[in-house]
Amino acid sequence: MVNFILPKISPIPKDTEFTGKYAVITGASSGLGLEVTRQLLRMHASSVILAVRNVAKGEACAETLRQECDTQNQSPKSIIKVMELDMDRYDSVQRFAKQLREEIPVVDLLILNAGIGLWNLERSSTGHERTIQVNYYSNVLLIAELLPYLEAGAETTGSPARISWVGSRAHEMSSLDKVPIEAGGEILENMDKDEAFTSFQRYGDSKLLCALFMYSLAPRLDPKKVIINMVCPGMVNTSMSDVLPIHLRLIMIAVKAMRARSVEVGGWIILNGALVAGPESHGKFLKDKAIADKSRYISSPAGQEAQKKLWGETIAEMSKLTSLPVEFQ
């Protein structure tokens, strides 16, 4: 039984620092991404890169953050840089990765926060259903493009790079559990079918794909070079529910008023997974601050088969776009 009231969360330990280090936060112009950036600056980050779709909005956020740092005398020397990253488009992901590799010598932390939830079926320019494109495909491509760069940086610094992917408990309620893919069918192809789209289900579907991919990738990585985990901060009071029809939005506003965490608390949870949790969190899903067991579906024979199938299908898609690192082959 799920508790309606979420447990209280303690702040990040005061001695947690990010002095002299570099972080990239996707979806950093609002909500959790912006708050995580703010908290990293308070930890004396050397540089934070706001990876955003809307550069003008990102620059406005960056200026606000600079003013906050000056006013509060926190990290006044931190570099705040805005870079374009549109997760709707493969070419934008690849341009961003190329620019990052060329302009930033080392990235210590990559927060994969950008994500969407849609009420109606939409398609990206790639032809894929848009929720799956933004939440899954583009994140996988970004990891593939940056993995050798992150590993090289770890060799330079002597510490593993960290990837913390913002996930969701919603992956435990995926349509794959309720309506398994037919024998011989493909998971990603099915996700693109109009008839497979369900408003309430698609966000959870996308987050299941992310979790399955992480569980496949992590054993292929050397945690002395790259530690990857996935973190669910629970319900947080952000604008994601604004896509809902007005009658459902009003209900969600009431629910969030009683149950949702603030973005500050959500930021604590994400940065716990990114900075406080140790190597034991590699390849794990964290609910709040605790490492969680794999979901019932993922642990089942059907889920394990889906994980293998998804890996193969994803590698086939990524191979069309870029030269894959050895961990993907």
Side-chain angles (χ1 to χ4, degrees):
M1 184 175 180
V2 177
N3 293 327
F4 183 79
I5 303 300
L6 296 173
K8 290 185 177 181
I9 299 295
S10 58
I12 294 291
K14 291 183 178 180
D15 59 354
T16 304
E17 286 199 352
F18 201 64
T19 304
K21 295 186 178 182
Y22 291 73
V24 173
I25 307 94
T26 69
S29 61
S30 64
L32 282 169
L34 180 58
E35 177 60 25
V36 165
T37 305
R38 178 178 287 112
Q39 292 187 24
L40 284 169
L41 289 169
R42 291 172 183 164
M43 296 176 190
H44 310 293
S46 178
S47 180
V48 291
I49 292 91
L50 285 69
V52 299
R53 181 179 61 84
N54 186 326
V55 173
K57 183 178 179 182
E59 292 289 1
C61 292
E63 183 56 32
T64 297
L65 291 169
R66 291 185 189 104
Q67 292 175 8
E68 289 178 6
C69 288
D70 289 341
T71 301
Q72 299 168 13
N73 196 28
Q74 294 171 333
S75 300
K77 296 182 180 179
S78 295
I79 297 170
I80 303 173
K81 184 177 177 64
V82 177
M83 294 173 60
E84 182 179 8
L85 174 60
D86 185 350
M87 300 293 272
D88 243 337
R89 300 181 1 245
Y90 282 143
D91 61 338
S92 180
V93 173
Q94 291 179 302
R95 280 197 301 271
F96 169 81
K98 182 175 184 292
Q99 183 184 359
L100 191 70
R101 294 191 301 260
E102 291 175 349
E103 297 183 6
I104 308 298
V106 171
V107 166
D108 301 279
L109 174 61
L110 173 62
I111 302 282
L112 299 175
N113 165 73
I116 60 172
L118 298 175
W119 184 252
N120 297 310
L121 174 65
E122 298 179 16
R123 293 200 180 276
S124 296
S125 59
T126 61
H128 295 307
E129 190 278 316
R130 191 165 170 240
T131 311
I132 301 297
Q133 179 66 52
V134 171
N135 295 1
Y136 181 63
Y137 282 119
S138 290
N139 275 298
V140 172
L141 178 59
L142 185 59
I143 294 172
E145 293 284 3
L146 293 181
L147 189 56
Y149 162 75
L150 294 174
E151 291 173 334
E155 292 179 359
T156 299
T157 65
S159 298
R162 303 287 297 251
I163 302 174
S164 278
W165 199 339
V166 179
S168 173
R169 293 164 170 83
H171 84 268
E172 298 175 347
M173 299 173 284
S174 168
S175 64
L176 289 183
D177 191 8
K178 300 174 182 177
V179 184
I181 302 297
E182 295 180 2
E186 294 195 353
I187 296 171
L188 294 176
E189 183 181 85
N190 184 72
M191 292 290 175
D192 275 337
K193 294 178 180 177
D194 290 5
E195 61 271 22
F197 181 88
T198 304
S199 300
F200 282 110
Q201 201 78 64
R202 182 44 54 98
Y203 180 76
D205 289 342
S206 72
K207 292 300 184 178
L208 174 65
L209 301 186
C210 297
L212 290 173
F213 181 82
M214 182 201 66
Y215 285 134
S216 291
L217 176 63
R220 294 171 162 86
L221 300 179
D222 180 354
K224 293 181 180 179
K225 294 182 179 180
V226 176
I227 292 173
I228 185 171
N229 58 33
M230 188 167 287
V231 183
C232 174
M235 180 179 285
V236 178
N237 193 8
T238 68
S239 61
M240 277 199 71
S241 58
D242 289 356
V243 300
L244 297 173
I246 185 63
H247 65 288
L248 293 177
R249 201 183 315 160
L250 292 173
I251 294 171
M252 185 57 68
I253 289 171
V255 171
K256 288 197 292 187
M258 294 183 288
R259 186 173 190 265
R261 291 170 167 142
S262 68
V263 289
E264 180 182 34
V265 173
W268 294 344
I269 294 171
I270 292 171
L271 288 177
N272 175 79
L275 301 178
V276 179
E280 73 281 356
S281 72
H282 179 62
K284 305 296 184 182
F285 186 92
L286 284 74
K287 292 182 179 178
D288 300 342
K289 292 185 176 182
I291 293 174
D293 293 332
K294 293 180 180 179
S295 72
R296 179 196 57 78
Y297 171 70
I298 291 177
S299 299
S300 71
Q304 290 296 291
E305 181 61 30
Q307 182 175 326
K308 293 177 184 177
K309 182 184 289 286
L310 178 68
W311 177 263
E313 293 176 17
T314 303
I315 297 308
E317 172 82 2
M318 295 298 113
S319 295
K320 301 173 187 176
L321 304 167
T322 188
S323 297
L324 295 176
V326 293
E327 293 86 351
F328 277 59
Q329 297 169 13

